Amino acid sequence: MIYNSDTMKGIFSLKPDKPQEEAADFVANPHLFLSGPASSGKTSAALLRLQQILTSSPAAPGSSTLVLVPQRSLAEPYQEYLRKVKLPVSQFVSIQTMSSIVRRMIALFWPLIASRQVFRHPFEPPRFLTLETAQYYMAQIVDPLIDRGHFATITLTRNRLFSQLVDNLNKSAIVGFPQTELARRLKSAWNGDQTQLIVYDDVQLAVNAFRTFCLEHNLLDFSLQVELFREIVWPNETFQKYFQNQYQHLIYDNAEEDPPYVHDIVGSWIKNLQSSLIILDEGGGLRSFLGADPVSAAKLASQSTARLHFEQNYVSSAPIKALLGYLQSSQAQKLPYSTISQALIIASKQPRFFPELLQSVSREIADLVLNGTPADQIVVLSPFVSDPMVFELSRRLTKASITTQTLRPSLALKSNPHIQTILTLASLAHPDWKQAPDLYQTQSALSTAIPRLDPLRARLILEQATINHDGALLPPIETLSKDLTERVPSDVLRQYEKLRLWIGSVDPNEPLDYFISRLFSELLTQPGFGFADDQPAGENTARLTQSYQKFKRPLAADQGADASYLGREYYKALSQGLLSALFVPEEEIVGEPGVLIAPVMTFLMQNRAVQHQFWLNLGSKGWYERLEQPLTHPYVLNRQWDPRKKWTTDDEMALGRFNLERTLVGLLRRCSGQVHLCTSDYGEAGIEEKGLLLTWAQNLFRSALREEQHD
């Protein structure tokens, strides 16, 4: 049997059961729709099917397989498998997201798009925008509107305002309605103060102007990429033949996490493929706020010739399974206290403040590791993961010789101390930017660049410039007072002067990426400076360089976009928060493999099971409430929304309850041991919180205790 071949060792820990063997048989079930809850073995069955495709004899020449996933993190099982096998010469496996396919096909079929005369300069190359550069250009459109009084009632930060406008455009594209209908759709569901309707008119004005700007300058944000692919490339006969020649087999995993335009496209491809496997995770749709549509994904079953449903849970412990059954049975059945206490662990004494809770959690984790639990089988979860929480947990666990790893949405580039140092020195070297850093930023940059120059002495040096009124932000050492030069070691002063002279010699017309490279190699990595023998400093400098290079590509074709202009605009955009995490992966992994600290949704999208889960901030509404979005609405801008309805408070409450139950079920299905409920009288924000999750846990234990005492 091919399931026992050496290629599968280390991939599957269990012998395939009969349903998995049935799903793997692509000859008997060439077009299969496979559904089931998380941890029921669906991806394992897909890997078995992929193996059968690759080891079928004889292999068809050029027989290629497309593995389609909604986001890169969900591709890891397939990438791991392919790393451990040697593919036949005639076989090829491509792991893609639909977004990557769309962009690649637009670039390849650009002459076809140009022939439609959609753009003002159709025969010039396209200029693809990232999410962040789209926000940058949106700012150029919206800032004048704000100056004229539009969005006057909105109190959002600039980057959130721009991101919600871009999100509106994205929703129109992935759902499949014209962007000119955004205001009408948002207005039709609004059930509150009528002044909000004016805001929706402002939204429509802004997105229309942005789209016109993009068409005039060959700028392709994500929404325009999707529309061009959907309306021009996809229906084209030449493209259809090209795609059919590219792939004969399809494995589409976690279809429920993709928006409906992807399902439309996949549905049209199935009939022309030799085989297809569509996998739907029941209880999924975790990215619904980003357009994920499980209902649309379920309709792909009608495009398949066979259906299969998995029910087995290969991960959860017996008490966790009992708790899952209780959750999914409308909680009508009774659950013994002994079962609940085996599944959910609570402290005998609740800490009063959050720092005490972190101390308690650290001790519990240390005890688990000491008693044989691998550190990488423990995860600490919270709706949001803050820097102080990560720092405190990591510090305490490191003291116990336990490594930690943080998985969280990418942080702002400017929040990294290495990157902030480079940016501050760049602004000092480019006075023509007129973006001079403040005293605190400069003081911090000097202390990072010259480790032996502490912040206090750095501040005293900088204050000399103010005393001397010479206009220089970095005063020459000969202008420093005798008292100060006696307080600072002479070798540190020489390093400071070397830095000052280097900064003063910079050509303002030098491209910013060249400047960063020279600053790093010629100064900051030299002996005695802060980046010497510091690998993370090198990695962060490379991130910043790549970030700038990606930012400047669409801007470089603009008239007057010289090196000084590009550098200034990049620095300004970073400072204003418009480029929160340019050229950084969807999630940023920090640290060595060990105890994982992650936001709940980020962890769930990893499709990873662990033995122990620690749930923090139980009282937070972040476990189930959607973020405030006054300029958009992901559930109204959805293919399943009835446009005749109003969005009411009841809808919001029902959504919260649904989100909480889906989150709980998803977490429990990914837990092979126990869940540790961790709460304190006062939450991380220093206030008492009584959200639905905390109430649910308290009621669950109280009800079980009453039943036990009654019996």
Side-chain angles (χ1 to χ4, degrees):
M1 289 288 289
I2 60 173
Y3 301 141
N4 297 323
S5 67
D6 290 339
T7 61
M8 303 307 287
K9 288 180 180 177
I11 299 292
F12 306 113
S13 57
L14 298 171
K15 182 180 178 181
D17 58 21
K18 198 166 186 65
Q20 287 179 318
E21 291 181 351
E22 186 179 350
D25 193 341
F26 75 100
V27 176
N29 296 305
H31 299 291
L32 177 65
F33 184 87
L34 174 60
S35 61
S39 304
S40 59
K42 301 185 300 300
T43 298
S44 294
L47 289 168
L48 290 166
R49 187 179 179 100
L50 177 59
Q51 186 197 27
Q52 282 208 12
I53 291 170
L54 296 177
T55 57
S56 60
S57 182
S63 180
S64 299
T65 302
L66 171 64
V67 177
L68 189 64
V69 290
Q71 71 175 42
R72 285 173 288 178
S73 64
L74 296 171
E76 179 55 34
Y78 300 96
Q79 292 168 339
E80 181 185 355
Y81 168 69
L82 292 175
R83 283 193 291 266
K84 296 184 178 183
V85 301
K86 184 177 180 180
L87 293 180
V89 176
S90 61
Q91 297 280 5
F92 178 75
V93 178
S94 177
I95 303 176
Q96 302 273 351
T97 64
M98 186 58 77
S99 297
S100 64
I101 291 175
V102 165
R103 176 161 176 165
R104 190 161 52 88
M105 291 301 103
I106 285 178
L108 185 62
F109 286 86
W110 182 251
L112 171 65
I113 296 170
S115 68
R116 297 293 187 91
Q117 302 288 316
V118 176
F119 293 86
R120 184 176 179 182
H121 305 288
F123 299 107
E124 292 182 4
R127 299 157 65 187
F128 292 99
L129 301 181
T130 64
L131 173 62
E132 286 83 6
T133 49
Q135 290 185 49
Y136 168 80
Y137 279 108
M138 182 65 81
Q140 315 308 307
I141 300 299
V142 176
D143 280 343
L145 295 179
I146 293 175
D147 292 340
R148 296 203 298 268
H150 296 278
F151 301 103
T153 60
I154 299 300
T155 57
L156 294 173
T157 59
R158 286 165 49 87
N159 58 314
R160 285 195 64 203
L161 189 152
F162 301 143
S163 68
Q164 289 186 29
L165 290 172
V166 171
D167 187 59
N168 273 327
L169 279 166
N170 293 344
K171 291 293 191 298
S172 71
I174 63 179
V175 172
F177 62 87
Q179 47 92 12
T180 52
E181 291 185 10
L182 278 163
R184 182 182 65 80
R185 286 174 177 253
L186 292 168
K187 284 180 177 181
S188 68
W190 179 249
N191 197 37
D193 192 327
Q194 295 301 294
T195 58
Q196 178 67 20
L197 302 182
I198 299 174
V199 174
Y200 292 145
D201 286 331
D202 291 343
V203 167
Q204 191 68 66
L205 179 66
V207 297
N208 288 350
F210 177 77
R211 175 56 57 84
T212 299
F213 183 83
C214 288
L215 294 176
E216 287 178 351
H217 296 85
N218 283 42
L219 299 173
L220 277 71
D221 68 315
F222 174 74
S223 68
L224 194 48
Q225 292 174 39
V226 170
E227 287 187 23
L228 293 173
F229 180 80
R230 198 184 63 227
E231 296 173 11
I232 299 177
V233 177
W234 174 33
N236 182 263
E237 186 177 343
T238 302
F239 165 76
Q240 292 293 339
K241 289 180 179 178
Y242 170 84
F243 184 85
Q244 291 168 30
N245 290 333
Q246 283 271 302
Y247 306 110
Q248 286 72 50
H249 305 278
L250 170 69
I251 295 175
Y252 182 19
D253 206 346
N254 288 104
E256 77 288 341
E257 298 299 339
D258 258 334
Y261 91 95
V262 182
H263 307 143
D264 296 341
I265 292 169
V266 170
S268 73
W269 285 347
I270 290 176
K271 61 182 181 295
N272 296 317
L273 295 167
Q274 184 179 333
S275 78
S276 63
L277 172 64
I278 313 297
I279 302 175
L280 182 137
D281 192 344
E282 292 177 350
L286 300 167
R287 304 196 311 168
S288 55
F289 60 97
L290 293 176
D293 194 335
V295 176
S296 172
K299 293 177 181 177
L300 287 172
S302 63
Q303 307 292 323
S304 304
T305 56
R307 302 183 190 185
L308 196 58
H309 184 264
F310 285 1
E311 296 180 356
Q312 178 68 37
N313 185 328
Y314 287 105
V315 169
S316 303
S317 61
I320 292 286
K321 286 180 181 178
L323 183 57
L324 276 166
Y326 172 76
L327 269 173
Q328 296 176 300
S329 64
S330 302
Q331 304 177 11
Q333 66 184 53
K334 301 300 180 184
L335 200 60
Y337 179 82
S338 59
T339 301
I340 297 174
S341 60
Q342 290 177 58
L344 305 176
I345 308 301
I346 57 171
S348 57
K349 183 179 179 182
Q350 181 171 301
R352 185 167 175 78
F353 298 106
F354 192 73
E356 299 172 47
L357 178 66
L358 295 183
Q359 184 177 11
S360 172
V361 168
S362 302
R363 283 198 300 264
E364 284 188 65
I365 292 174
D367 288 343
L368 286 172
V369 174
L370 186 64
N371 290 318
T373 302
D376 62 2
Q377 285 296 308
I378 301 171
V379 62
V380 179
L381 300 170
S382 178
F384 311 104
V385 172
S386 66
D387 289 335
M389 185 177 87
V390 171
F391 174 79
E392 186 63 20
L393 275 175
S394 300
R395 183 181 69 83
R396 291 183 177 278
L397 292 174
T398 300
K399 276 188 175 181
S401 301
I402 300 171
T403 56
T404 61
Q405 189 174 68
T406 306
L407 178 64
R408 59 200 300 196
S410 300
L411 301 176
L413 288 173
K414 67 175 183 176
S415 68
N416 180 281
H418 296 129
I419 291 176
Q420 183 59 64
T421 295
I422 294 173
L423 291 172
T424 301
L425 296 178
S427 63
L428 290 170
H430 295 84
D432 56 308
W433 289 357
K434 298 186 177 8
Q435 300 282 329
D438 59 31
L439 184 61
Y440 174 79
Q441 288 175 316
T442 310
Q443 162 193 318
S444 177
L446 289 179
S447 298
T448 304
I450 307 171
R452 292 186 59 213
L453 181 61
D454 62 85
L456 176 59
R457 289 183 174 88
R459 188 178 187 90
L460 292 173
I461 290 174
L462 294 171
E463 287 176 345
Q464 290 292 303
T466 306
I467 294 170
N468 297 331
H469 301 291
D470 58 2
L473 293 175
L474 298 179
I477 57 173
E478 61 267 18
T479 65
L480 303 181
S481 66
K482 183 179 179 182
D483 178 59
L484 180 55
T485 56
E486 289 176 351
R487 294 180 62 180
V488 182
S490 58
D491 59 328
V492 174
L493 282 175
R494 285 194 297 271
Q495 284 180 301
Y496 164 78
E497 185 67 4
K498 183 177 179 180
L499 182 149
R500 187 190 71 82
L501 293 172
W502 194 97
I503 291 294
S505 68
V506 171
D507 179 358
N509 295 315
E510 179 182 32
L512 183 60
D513 44 354
Y514 292 6
F515 165 84
I516 294 171
S517 177
R518 287 202 310 110
L519 176 65
F520 178 79
S521 60
E522 296 177 8
L523 187 75
L524 296 179
T525 54
Q526 296 304 307
F529 285 91
F531 290 12
D533 301 319
D534 188 342
Q535 183 176 341
E539 293 170 353
N540 290 321
T541 303
R543 283 176 55 197
L544 181 64
T545 303
Q546 293 170 323
S547 164
Y548 170 71
Q549 290 171 345
K550 198 159 190 178
F551 172 83
K552 74 176 182 180
R553 284 172 196 159
L555 273 73
D558 291 340
Q559 287 188 338
D562 57 19
S564 178
Y565 170 83
L566 292 171
R568 181 180 72 247
E569 290 302 294
Y570 178 72
Y571 180 84
K572 186 195 304 183
L574 274 176
S575 301
Q576 294 174 345
L578 300 183
L579 307 183
S580 58
L582 197 61
F583 203 74
V584 182
E586 292 167 348
E587 288 89 27
E588 186 173 20
I589 301 176
V590 179
E592 298 297 322
V595 174
L596 179 66
I597 306 169
V600 174
M601 285 301 162
T602 304
F603 171 73
L604 285 172
M605 287 304 296
Q606 300 299 304
N607 258 353
R608 169 183 171 183
V610 293
Q611 291 180 25
H612 292 271
Q613 297 177 6
F614 286 78
W615 297 358
L616 272 59
N617 287 309
L618 291 188
S620 170
K621 294 181 180 179
W623 284 90
Y624 53 89
E625 270 193 359
R626 66 187 183 94
L627 294 174
E628 181 190 6
Q629 294 177 297
L631 304 184
T632 186
H633 199 305
Y635 299 95
V636 169
L637 301 179
N638 184 292
R639 193 175 287 186
Q640 311 311 324
W641 177 254
D642 183 351
R644 297 167 297 181
K645 284 185 60 180
K646 298 287 186 183
W647 183 267
T648 65
T649 303
D650 289 341
D651 291 315
E652 197 72 48
M653 293 176 64
L655 174 66
R657 290 191 295 269
F658 173 78
N659 284 342
L660 179 60
E661 182 174 335
R662 180 173 60 184
T663 300
L664 293 181
V665 170
L667 290 173
L668 293 173
R669 283 194 165 275
R670 292 166 174 83
C671 183
S672 61
Q674 296 171 313
V675 171
H676 302 252
L677 302 178
C678 310
T679 186
S680 52
D681 293 342
Y682 296 93
E684 187 173 6
I687 58 175
E688 289 186 274
E689 295 177 308
K690 297 289 183 181
L692 292 179
L693 176 56
L694 181 59
T695 303
W696 171 81
Q698 291 171 337
N699 291 341
L700 180 68
F701 276 95
R702 286 170 184 163
S703 175
L705 276 172
R706 282 197 299 267
E707 287 291 329
E708 188 175 80
Q709 292 166 358
H710 179 72
D711 292 342

